[in-house]
Amino acid sequence: MNAITNVFPHVTNLLCRWHISKNVLAKCRKMFDDKMWEEFICSWGLVVLSASVGQYEERLSVLTHEFEMVPAALEYVEKNWLIPYKERFVGAWTDKIMRFGNLTSNR
């Protein structure tokens, strides 16, 4: 990502939602039972698909409230993905960039 920033300073570098989801699965799945995991990953998906900043904030608040009993998972997604990179994969920001419908680098 640093090389892209240096070579193409005026281009927005989007991140692959599929790879991020796989990473969240690998790091957070073990923190939940099956039913709670399904609820968490659905709520996470809604955060990622938010169409506006207001909707993003609302959905993030719901995610945080519903899963406050699993602070390690919330800390992971916020610290490693949302805080540093949300503008590169959350719909509220990426929907404003011409990307021809591409959301993932995974064919």
Side-chain angles (χ1 to χ4, degrees):
M1 287 192 298
N2 291 334
I4 290 173
T5 302
N6 291 334
V7 175
F8 302 107
H10 303 294
V11 174
T12 302
N13 176 31
L14 300 180
L15 299 178
C16 176
R17 290 180 182 176
W18 184 83
H19 283 100
I20 292 170
S21 293
K22 288 302 216 181
N23 196 279
V24 171
L25 170 70
K27 300 291 183 181
C28 297
R29 175 64 181 100
K30 61 186 171 262
M31 300 176 199
F32 298 92
D33 63 26
D34 290 341
K35 183 179 186 301
M36 188 181 274
W37 171 251
E38 289 300 320
E39 293 170 3
F40 176 82
I41 203 66
C42 285
S43 190
W44 166 251
L46 289 175
V47 170
V48 172
L49 294 174
S50 299
S52 68
V53 175
Q55 189 177 54
Y56 164 78
E57 291 170 352
E58 180 182 314
R59 289 177 174 179
L60 181 58
S61 176
V62 169
L63 177 78
T64 303
H65 177 71
E66 288 182 354
F67 299 99
E68 63 190 0
M69 73 293 273
V70 192
L74 294 173
E75 181 180 341
Y76 174 76
V77 295
E78 288 180 0
K79 184 178 179 182
N80 292 288
W81 293 111
L82 295 176
I83 292 171
Y85 303 118
K86 69 180 174 265
E87 293 87 0
R88 295 180 180 199
F89 73 96
V90 174
W93 291 273
T94 62
D95 289 349
K96 297 174 184 171
I97 299 166
M98 186 171 28
R99 55 183 165 74
F100 303 107
N102 290 318
L103 301 173
T104 178
S105 61
N106 181 19
R107 287 188 161 266

